Amino acid sequence: MKILKAILLVTNSMITFVMTAFLVLAGSYSLYALWDNSQVYAAADNVQAELLKLKPEEKADNGASFEELRKINPDVCGWITLDHTNVDLPVLQGKDNLTYINTDVYGEFAMAGSIFLDSGCDRSFRQKYSLLYGHHMENHQMFGDLDLYKKENFFNKNRTGTLYLPEEQIHLEVLACLSVSSSEENIFTPEKWETETKGLLKFASDHAVLVHQDLLKELMESGDSPRILAMSTCSSEFTDARTVLLAEMKEEET
C-alpha cells in the first residue's frame, strides 16, 4: 500500500510538472508571438514612414522623386494612393509574383512584403487592365484598408485615388468592391483583359458586393473599353477568399 501511494505521488508530481511546463511554454510562445507580430507591424510602419518622404507630389514634376525611389530599387514602377485610407505606398514589379510577397522595397525580407504589380502586366500601366497585390494587414497597413470599401457608407463617400507614374498621374475612380476566389480567372488572369474590359465590367456588375451604378453605366455605354486597375488582398469570408477593389484609370487633366 505504501509503495502504491508512493507511485501515485510520484505520478501526480510528474503530471503536475509536465502540465506546468506546458503552460509555461505555451505562455512564452504566446508572448513571443505577440512580440513578433508587433515587430512585423513596426517594421512596415518604419518603411512606409521613410518612403513617404519620397512620395511624388500631386501636380508636380515627378521625375526627381521617382529617380530617388529607383535608386533604392529599380523595380519601383509607381505609387498608389487611395484617398482617406492609409494606402499610400510605392508599387513594385518583380520578375514573378513571388519576388515581393515577403520582400520590402529595400530588398530586405519582410513579412509585410510590398505592394506589387502582377508580373504579367505592363509596368507602364498602358494596358486596359492592371492588377496589384498586397498583404491584408491590421492597423491600416499595406492593403488592409481595402476592407473599408466593404462598408457601404465608406464606399459611397470615398471614390477617389491617384496612381503616380514617372511620366504622368492617373486619377482613380472607384468602381466596385468584390469578394472572389483566388482562382477567379476574370480577376487573376490579367492577359484576358489586355485590350478590352467590357467583359470585366459585366462580371463586376453581376458579382460585386458594392458597385457605383452611375459610373458602371457610363463605362458600359462608352464606345471604348476603360482602363481598369484592380487591387487585391486576402480575406476571410471563405477559403482562398480575396477582396478586390476595381477603379477606372483616367489620365489627369493638365
Side-chain angles (χ1 to χ4, degrees), residues 56 66 69-70 75-80 89-93 115 123 125 163-166:
F66 273 99
L69 284 167
R70 284 175 169 169
D75 285 343
V76 172
C77 58
W79 187 290
I80 179 74
L89 296 154
V91 177
L92 296 94
Q93 186 182 46
I115 303 302
R123 68 184 277 121
F125 293 85
L163 177 65
Y164 300 91
L165 302 176

Side-chain angles (χ1 to χ4, degrees), residues 129 178 180-189 192 203 207:
Y129 182 68
L178 301 91
V180 300
S181 166
S182 62
S183 61
E184 176 53 65
E185 65 173 19
N186 287 294
I187 297 297
F188 300 108
T189 309
K192 183 173 183 177
F203 176 78
H207 296 89

Side-chain angles (χ1 to χ4, degrees), residues 50-237:
E50 292 172 7
L51 291 173
L52 279 172
K53 300 173 185 176
L54 300 177
K55 177 185 175 180
E57 294 296 330
E58 191 169 0
K59 301 298 183 184
D61 179 5
N62 296 343
S65 290
F66 273 99
E67 182 179 345
E68 292 179 69
L69 284 167
R70 284 175 169 169
K71 285 179 182 177
I72 295 172
N73 190 325
D75 285 343
V76 172
C77 58
W79 187 290
I80 179 74
T81 299
L82 294 178
D83 297 333
H84 307 119
T85 76
N86 205 43
V87 176
D88 203 7
L89 296 154
V91 177
L92 296 94
Q93 186 182 46
K95 62 181 181 180
D96 56 45
N97 288 337
L98 295 178
T99 304
Y100 288 104
I101 196 166
N102 288 130
T103 301
D104 66 22
V105 69
Y106 296 102
E108 302 292 336
F109 174 79
M111 291 298 295
S114 300
I115 303 302
F116 62 94
L117 176 67
D118 189 284
S119 61
C121 292
D122 173 25
R123 68 184 277 121
S124 66
F125 293 85
R126 300 311 303 176
Q127 292 173 342
K128 291 292 186 180
Y129 182 68
S130 301
L131 172 61
L132 302 183
Y133 302 92
H135 282 305
H136 180 276
M137 298 183 68
E138 297 177 356
N139 302 331
H140 307 282
Q141 293 182 352
M142 304 312 288
F143 267 176
D145 270 358
L146 292 190
D147 276 356
L148 295 173
Y149 293 92
K150 297 177 184 177
K151 302 172 183 177
E152 188 171 4
N153 188 52
F154 185 91
F155 180 83
N156 289 335
K157 292 182 178 179
N158 298 277
R159 302 181 60 158
T160 59
T162 305
L163 177 65
Y164 300 91
L165 302 176
E167 305 298 332
E168 62 179 329
Q169 295 173 22
I170 303 296
H171 173 72
L172 300 178
E173 184 76 18
V174 172
L175 171 63
C177 182
L178 301 91
S179 181
V180 300
S181 166
S182 62
S183 61
E184 176 53 65
E185 65 173 19
N186 287 294
I187 297 297
F188 300 108
T189 309
E191 58 269 25
K192 183 173 183 177
W193 311 113
E194 283 183 6
T195 59
E196 73 87 22
T197 53
K198 292 291 187 179
L200 177 61
L201 297 180
K202 179 64 165 59
F203 176 78
S205 176
D206 293 342
H207 296 89
V209 177
L210 293 167
V211 62
H212 290 298
Q213 293 291 346
D214 56 340
L215 179 58
L216 179 65
K217 181 180 179 181
E218 175 188 330
L219 297 179
M220 290 289 284
E221 293 177 352
S222 171
D224 189 21
S225 289
R227 280 198 291 165
I228 300 294
L229 179 68
M231 294 153 274
S232 171
T233 194
C234 294
S235 187
S236 58
E237 279 89 348

Side-chain angles (χ1 to χ4, degrees), residues 7-23:
I7 292 174
L8 290 173
L9 182 62
V10 171
T11 301
N12 288 335
S13 297
M14 291 179 64
I15 292 173
T16 300
F17 174 78
V18 170
M19 290 183 64
T20 301
F22 173 79
L23 291 173

